[in-house]
Amino acid sequence: GIQVEQSPPDLILQEGANSTLRCNFSDSVNNLQWFHQNPWGQLINLFYIPSGTKQNGRLSATTVATERYSLLYISSSQTTDSGVYFCAVIQGAQKLVFGQGTRLTINP
Amino acid sequence: NAGVTQTPKFQVLKTGQSMTLQCAQDMNHEYMSWYRQDPGMGLRLIHYSVGAGITDQGEVPNGYNVSRSTTEDFPLRLLLAAPSQTSVYFCASSPSGTETQYFGPGTRLLVL
């Protein structure tokens, strides 16, 4: 099946810093989503982005489907950005496959 | 809209007991699914449904049963709970399987 790899596994930054999270996938996909899992365990939709670039406030995402990767950018980080960021893809048969996540810690 | 709701929030079971995790959505979504999340890992698909009366297995279906009698509800049943089923369970829904999926708040299950 399709493999989804995220990097880095852990990232520790000071408040105000910028960060880039990467998601590589091993085959073509129909759907790619980015999620933020906050410290209370809630999964929050960030982007649905099978291709192209989208922006939402301090967050933006780019997916280059032909090269099988997606990037999530977080600018001017805040402590509330802490948590785990997951990339998930669907290939064909409607099954969402998650990466292992990037744990982001923003220190004040 | 309440979105995707799950009950209970937390449950403790003894090995061999059975229980049903409830999931409901009020967005008239056709696609619903169940995932489990183990410590330090991403979510893994247990079962999914593309509409009422239709279910299929995901990556880790053993030990779990599902049914889909209505569009709104998609319960997950554990018939003989085992410690290996200790996990956090998430339900999700989507207009179709390839569109944005929306997740419920999760159920934490501890099997002793």
Side-chain angles (χ1 to χ4, degrees):
Chain A
I2 193 168
Q3 303 297 314
V4 181
E5 295 183 359
Q6 292 186 242
S7 60
D10 292 280
L11 189 57
I12 301 174
L13 298 171
Q14 291 298 121
E15 203 167 20
N18 301 329
S19 58
T20 300
L21 283 58
R22 187 176 180 101
C23 172
N24 292 335
F25 41 97
S26 60
D27 205 345
S28 59
V29 298
N30 298 330
N31 174 3
L32 187 144
Q33 285 186 248
W34 283 98
F35 296 91
H36 174 213
Q37 188 168 39
N38 64 23
W40 295 271
Q42 185 181 8
L43 276 166
I44 301 163
N45 283 309
L46 297 177
F47 295 102
Y48 169 83
I49 185 166
S51 64
T53 297
K54 290 186 177 179
Q55 180 155 8
N56 184 3
R58 296 182 296 104
L59 275 61
S60 64
T62 294
T63 297
V64 184
T66 53
E67 297 188 21
R68 299 178 187 168
Y69 74 88
S70 184
L71 301 173
L72 178 69
Y73 306 96
I74 305 173
S75 64
S76 304
S77 300
Q78 301 175 358
T79 56
T80 52
D81 294 330
S82 294
V84 182
Y85 289 80
F86 288 105
C87 163
V89 302
I90 286 185
Q91 182 195 37
Q94 303 172 328
K95 299 179 181 180
L96 201 60
V97 177
F98 281 75
Q100 299 281 52
T102 291
R103 181 173 298 279
L104 177 64
T105 302
I106 304 297
N107 291 322
Chain B
N1 285 353
V4 181
T5 58
Q6 293 184 236
T7 56
K9 288 188 171 61
F10 181 71
Q11 183 72 46
V12 180
L13 289 180
K14 294 181 180 177
T15 297
Q17 287 185 319
S18 64
M19 80 160 296
T20 299
L21 280 63
Q22 302 291 345
C23 174
Q25 52 91 10
D26 61 358
M27 297 174 282
N28 201 32
H29 287 169
E30 289 296 323
Y31 182 89
M32 295 185 74
S33 54
W34 277 102
Y35 296 83
R36 61 177 288 173
Q37 183 178 27
D38 299 309
M41 297 181 66
L43 281 68
R44 292 183 293 169
L45 182 65
I46 304 171
H47 286 286
Y48 66 98
S49 169
V50 299
I54 306 169
T55 63
D56 205 348
Q57 295 182 351
E59 181 185 355
V60 288
N62 293 341
Y64 307 96
N65 283 348
V66 292
S67 60
R68 182 101 179 265
S69 57
T70 67
T71 299
E72 294 78 19
D73 300 298
F74 190 43
L76 178 72
R77 282 181 286 276
L78 286 71
L79 297 179
L80 289 171
S84 61
Q85 293 178 305
T86 293
S87 190
V88 181
Y89 292 84
F90 288 95
C91 178
S93 76
S94 171
S96 74
T98 56
E99 297 178 68
T100 300
Q101 297 205 20
Y102 299 90
F103 282 79
T107 293
R108 292 184 176 273
L109 177 66
L110 174 61
V111 183
L112 301 174

